[in-house]
Structures are given as structure tokens and as C-alpha cells.
């Protein structure tokens, strides 16, 4: 998706920097957002969609990538066109956005930390079952992630993410080829058809909404700035980078849907929900293709989970550091501070890193409190409509230079995203066991 603003060049005089030529050598933040956004949960959801419906929902997985392209492009465009961060934009909409973000960052970060550590630990325990218990593998993953993000700046972080994405790419594509996909059926799956099943609409919306990214889409603008892209001269580069991100995401989810359709659907095998479904898939692969293929898959599973862990450790900590800076100064730093890596050295960045790591370790050993998990689920479901709708608000207002405001295409895509995530949010809230909560 190239220029989603849908605007032609402004006839008014502009002092924007000349647009740099989009070049593959600049690609970086897109790889980071793709790696962070595609977690084990996304792969399981896609596998289950393939096992339940075959290739029927292939089109929905692709639509999900297009929706996320629009959201990430809008977040990046806000950062580059205004010189302000996304939290700065949210703060301009009223105090309610600050309250939402604070509650979200504290509760979501607490529960997500434990989930990310557990997800990274599962493939390691499957690979090395006699070394130590699952909980201690989780602790080790959390601490390694903490140390890595604490002592390394964005450039090193990006290189590590790129290597792990390469592992994910090779593993998922290898598996898709290994199961020998039925290409005529796959092409038929590009037609927007709903499965003839109960709740097929909600299942389809869930697949679209679950393809690659939650709060990491909001973090994209921060990674764009950390890369050194701080003005509109980088707009073409950012858009190419963003397309690469979700093309990569599309390859991951389509490959896993192929695996689900061929390996599970044809054999009528049901996977467990959650990350344990991927361990189960490893056992199935071992039965079908041997130990080497199963271990190769578990390595890819670890790469998928650990990139999500360190991506959140880095990206959401950047957002929290920005929040604290805005709260303390009622103004805040612009592009120069971001480019110099000041946020990565700040105490709020490191304080949130500690929050993501050490309190969640308690949950690994004691289990997750029931009420906290419900609040976590509701907040997580509410964040995406919050992001989509606030981006529409910001990018259609005078806060954004006229040349870079939304055009019809971007408004349409963001509106579709907002409606989609609002429906999924309502369903998530409705499905919570509120009677037990009280």
C-alpha cells in the first residue's frame, strides 16, 4: 500500500525536506514490528483456522495484513509529519487517553510479561526436556530479554530481530512446502467466502484482527524515530518499510494456514488453543516427517515467541518513557532526543523493563489471578479500536499538516479497522465470566 493519504501534492509552499528515495537498504523498523507482532498466538490461531476450515479463510488472513498496514502507516505518518510522538498526540485529545494508557500499560504489561516468558519457554523445554522446569525456562527467557534490551541500543536490537525473523521465515516456508499445499484450493481461498459454520462471521473477524500486532502497531512510530527517521523526507522509505513488514507477516500466516489445512484439516486433527497447540504440532510433525523436522519447527517457534518478548520489552518501554516525559514536562522532546537514543537510556524506559520482567515472574510460579486476567483481556481488546479511532481523529485534524492528513483510502481503511476491532472488543467483553468476577 503506497500513499494511503489519497492526497495530491499541496499547492501551498512547504518547507518539508525532500523525499528520500525508497530503498531496501533502509528497511528495519518494519522487520521489527513484523517480528514483534507475529507471536505464537497468531500462529496457533492461523493453524486452527486452517485445520477447521481448510483454505476457506486464506483471504481473511490477507485482509488482516492490509488492515495492519494501514494502522502502522498511519502511526508512522503521524510521527514523521508532525515531529510529535503518538502519546503526545493522544495527550492532545484529552486526559482520558492518559488514564487509559496508564491502566493499560500497568495491567497489560504485568500479565503479558508472564505470558511472553511462558511462550518462549515452551519450545525450549520441548527441545531440552531434561535441563530444567518450564517455569525456570520462562525466568531465563525474561532475564535474557531484560539484559539484552537494557544494554543494547536500537541498532543492535534491530539486527538481532532481523536474524530471528530470518529463522522464522525459513522455518515457516519450509513447513509450507513440506506439507505440499493444494495450490488450486489455495487460490480458491482468495475468494471472500465465509465457512458454512456457526459463528463463522466472528471466527473470520477474529482471524482478520489477530494477524500480527496489537500495541506493537503503536510502537512502530517510535521505532521509526529510533531508526533516525524524524521528518517527512523519510515518508517514502517508511511506507516501503511498512509494506515489507506486512508482506513478511502475510508469508508467515499464509504458510501456517497451509500447514493447518494440509496437515491437520485433512486428518481431522484438532489442536489445543494457546501456545501449547504449537508443542502439539511439533509432536505431529515428528510423527509425520521425523525428529529433525520437529526440532527445526521448535527452533522457529522459539524465534517467533522470543522476538515478541524482546520487541515488547523494547517498544512498549519506549512508549512508557515517552509517557513519563510528557507527564513531567507537559511538552517533551522532539526528534533529536529520539534519534540520540535518550529514551533507551532513561530511567522510565528501564523501570518499565523491570516491570515487564520481575513482577510477572511471580505469576509464573503462582498462576495468574482470575480477576486480573479478565481485566487484561478487556484492556487488550479495547486497545486496537482505541488506536484506530484516535488515529482517525489525529490525522484528520489541524494537528497534522494538511499535506499529510488522511485521504479517503486511509480514512476508509482505518474506519474498517476501528469497526472490526470494536466488534471484537464487544465480543471479548461479552465472553468474560463477569458473574464469577464479582
Amino acid at each position: 500500500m503506497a500513499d494511503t493519504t489519497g492526497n495530491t501534492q499541496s499547492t501551498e509552499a512547504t518547507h518539508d525536506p525532500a523525499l528520500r528515495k525508497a530503498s531496501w537498504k533502509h528497511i528495519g523498523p518494519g522487520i521489527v514490528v513484523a517480528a514483534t507482532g507475529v507471536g505464537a498466538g497468531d500462529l496457533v490461531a492461523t493453524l486452527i483456522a486452517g485445520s477447521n476450515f481448510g483454505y476457506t479463510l486464506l483471504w481473511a488472513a490477507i485482509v488482516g495484513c492490509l488492515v495492519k498496514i494501514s494502522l502502522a502507516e498511519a502511526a508512522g505518518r503521524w510521527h514523521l509529519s508532525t515531529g510529535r510522538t503518538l502519546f503526545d498526540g493522544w495527550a492532545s485529545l484529552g486526559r482520558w487517553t492518559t488514564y487509559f494508557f496508564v491502566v493499560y500499560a500497568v495491567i497489560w504489561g504485568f500479565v503479558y510479561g508472564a505470558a511472553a516468558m511462558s511462550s518462549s519457554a515452551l519450545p525450549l523445554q520441548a527441545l531440552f526436556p531434561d535441563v530444567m522446569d518450564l517455569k525456570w525456562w520462562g525466568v531465563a527467557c525474561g532475564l535474557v530479554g531484560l539484559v539484552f534490551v537494557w544494554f543494547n541500543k536500537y541498532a543492535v536490537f534491530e539486527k538481532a530481530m532481523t536474524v530471528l525473523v530470518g529463522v522464522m521465515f525459513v522455518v515457516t516456508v519450509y513447513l509450507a512446502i513440506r506439507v505440499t499445499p493444494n495450490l488450486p484450493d489455495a487460490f480458491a481461498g482468495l475468494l471472500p467466502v465465509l465457512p458454512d459454520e456457526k459463528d463463522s462471521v466472528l471466527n473470520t473477524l477474529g482471524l482478520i484482527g489477530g494477524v500480527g500486532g496489537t500495541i506493537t502497531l503503536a510502537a512502530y512510530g517510535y521505532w521509526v524515530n529510533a531508526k533516525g527517521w524524524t521528518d517527512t523526507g523519510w515518508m517514502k522509505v517508511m511506507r516501503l518499510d511498512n509494506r515489507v513488514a506486512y508482506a513478511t507477516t502475510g508469508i508467515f500466516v499464509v504458510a501456517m494456514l497451509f500447514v493447518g489445512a494440509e496437515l491437520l484439516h485433512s486428518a481431522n486433527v484438532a489442536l489445543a488453543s494457546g501456545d501449547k497447540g504449537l508443542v502439539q504440532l511439533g509432536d505431529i510433525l515428528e510423527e509425520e516427517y521425523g525428529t529433525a523436522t520437529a526440532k527445526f519447527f521448535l527452533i522457529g517457534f522459539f524465534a517467533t515467541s522470543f522476538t515478541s518478548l524482546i520487541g515488547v520489552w523494547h517498544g512498549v518501554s519506549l512508549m512508557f518513557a515517552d509517557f513519563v516525559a510528557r507527564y513531567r514536562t507537559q511538552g517533551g522532546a522532539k526528534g533529536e532526543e529520539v534519534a540520540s537514543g535518550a529514551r533507551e537510556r532513561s530511567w522510565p524506559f528501564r523501570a518499565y523493563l523491570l516491570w515487564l520482567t520481575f513482577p510477572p515472574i511471580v505469576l509464573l510460579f503462582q498462576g495468574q489471578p482470575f480477576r486480573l486476567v479478565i481485566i487484561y483481556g478487556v484492556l487488550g481488546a479495547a486497545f486496537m479500536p482505541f488506536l484506530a479511532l484516535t488515529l482517525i481523529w489525529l490525522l484528520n485534524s489541524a494537528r497534522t499538516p494538511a499535506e499529510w492528513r488522511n485521504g479517503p483510502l486511509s480514512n476508509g481503511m482505518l474506519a474498517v479497522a476501528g469497526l472490526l476491532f470494536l466488534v471484537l472488543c464487544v465480543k471479548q467483553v461479552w465472553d468474560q465470566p463477569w458473574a464469577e468476577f464479582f
Side-chain angles (χ1 to χ4, degrees):
M1 182 174 294
D3 183 357
T4 58
T5 60
N7 292 331
T8 56
Q9 183 74 22
S10 172
T11 56
E12 299 177 6
T14 178
H15 299 290
D16 285 341
L19 288 175
R20 291 172 174 84
K21 183 180 179 181
S23 172
W24 293 95
K25 69 180 181 181
H26 295 305
I27 298 303
I31 296 296
V32 172
V33 77
T36 307
V38 179
D42 297 284
L43 298 188
V44 171
T46 310
L47 277 167
I48 290 176
S51 66
N52 290 340
F53 309 117
Y55 293 101
T56 305
L57 292 181
L58 179 59
W59 66 271
I62 294 172
V63 169
C65 292
L66 294 176
V67 167
K68 302 296 173 58
I69 285 175
S70 299
L71 283 164
E73 189 274 343
R77 177 155 44 93
W78 166 263
H79 276 248
L80 295 182
S81 66
T82 65
R84 302 164 67 187
T85 64
L86 189 53
F87 185 83
D88 198 17
W90 286 338
S92 73
L93 301 178
R95 288 186 177 272
W96 65 276
T97 60
T98 300
Y99 300 145
F100 176 83
F101 180 79
V102 170
V103 175
Y104 180 89
V106 171
I107 295 178
W108 181 89
F110 183 39
V111 180
Y112 179 84
M117 286 186 261
S118 295
S119 179
S120 298
L122 278 169
L124 291 177
Q125 191 194 39
L127 284 166
F128 310 104
D130 300 323
V131 175
M132 57 183 167
D133 183 72
L134 177 67
K135 296 181 180 65
W136 289 109
W137 275 119
V139 172
C141 290
L143 293 177
V144 170
L146 169 69
V147 170
F148 175 77
V149 175
W150 187 290
F151 289 104
N152 289 298
K153 298 300 180 268
Y154 175 79
V156 177
F157 165 71
E158 181 188 289
K159 287 181 173 64
M161 293 289 272
T162 302
V163 171
L164 291 170
V165 166
V167 173
M168 293 166 60
F169 185 90
V170 171
V171 170
T172 54
V173 172
Y174 167 77
L175 288 178
I177 295 171
R178 193 78 169 83
V179 300
T180 317
N182 186 320
L183 294 181
D185 285 353
F187 282 116
L190 296 175
L191 295 175
V193 175
L194 293 176
D196 188 18
E197 303 281 346
K198 183 181 178 181
D199 296 330
S200 63
V201 173
L202 289 175
N203 287 331
T204 303
L205 292 179
L207 180 60
I208 293 172
V211 175
T214 51
I215 194 172
T216 55
L217 290 165
Y220 179 63
Y222 290 84
W223 285 322
V224 163
N225 286 161
K227 180 74 169 176
W229 306 347
T230 56
D231 56 50
T232 55
W234 292 99
M235 198 69 75
K236 284 186 177 181
V237 176
M238 181 274 292
R239 283 170 169 157
L240 174 63
D241 180 73
N242 184 40
R243 291 196 296 272
V244 170
Y246 283 95
T248 305
T249 300
I251 291 170
F252 291 150
V253 297
V254 168
M256 296 311 288
L257 191 138
F258 281 7
V259 173
E262 292 295 337
L263 191 62
L264 307 176
H265 181 68
S266 58
N268 198 27
V269 175
L271 279 187
S273 61
D275 298 341
K276 291 182 179 178
L278 291 182
V279 176
Q280 185 182 349
L281 177 62
D283 295 336
I284 295 170
L285 288 169
E286 184 169 6
E287 292 177 8
E288 292 287 331
Y289 303 113
T291 302
T293 296
K295 291 189 179 300
F296 190 49
F297 165 72
L298 289 172
I299 292 170
F301 176 7
F302 172 74
T304 300
S305 298
F306 195 65
T307 52
S308 293
L309 187 153
I310 61 175
V312 167
W313 263 228
H314 189 274
V316 184
S317 296
L318 281 176
M319 295 180 68
F320 185 78
D322 182 44
F323 155 70
V324 173
R326 295 300 182 275
Y327 180 77
R328 292 177 66 192
T329 66
Q330 298 300 313
K334 303 293 184 181
E336 292 77 14
E337 179 185 342
V338 177
S340 68
R343 288 200 188 103
E344 293 171 290
R345 296 190 294 270
S346 68
W347 71 261
F349 179 91
R350 290 177 169 174
Y352 195 73
L353 269 179
L354 296 174
W355 175 254
L356 283 167
T357 307
F358 288 105
I361 287 175
V362 177
L363 300 184
L364 292 178
F365 289 90
Q366 295 188 355
Q368 298 180 358
F370 177 72
R371 289 179 175 83
L372 191 63
V373 171
I374 290 180
I375 296 172
Y376 164 81
V378 171
L379 285 172
F383 184 82
M384 291 301 282
F386 167 79
L387 176 62
L389 297 174
T390 53
L391 283 172
I392 291 176
W393 190 346
L394 291 170
L395 292 168
N396 284 286
S397 71
R399 298 173 180 84
T400 304
E403 181 184 352
W404 301 109
R405 290 176 197 163
N406 280 357
L409 178 58
S410 187
N411 276 328
M413 292 295 289
L414 291 176
V416 167
L419 181 61
L420 162 67
F421 292 119
L422 189 60
V423 170
L424 293 174
C425 177
V426 170
K427 181 180 184 298
Q428 179 78 3
V429 173
W430 182 267
D431 288 345
Q432 297 297 333
W434 293 107
E436 298 177 37
F437 181 90
F438 296 106

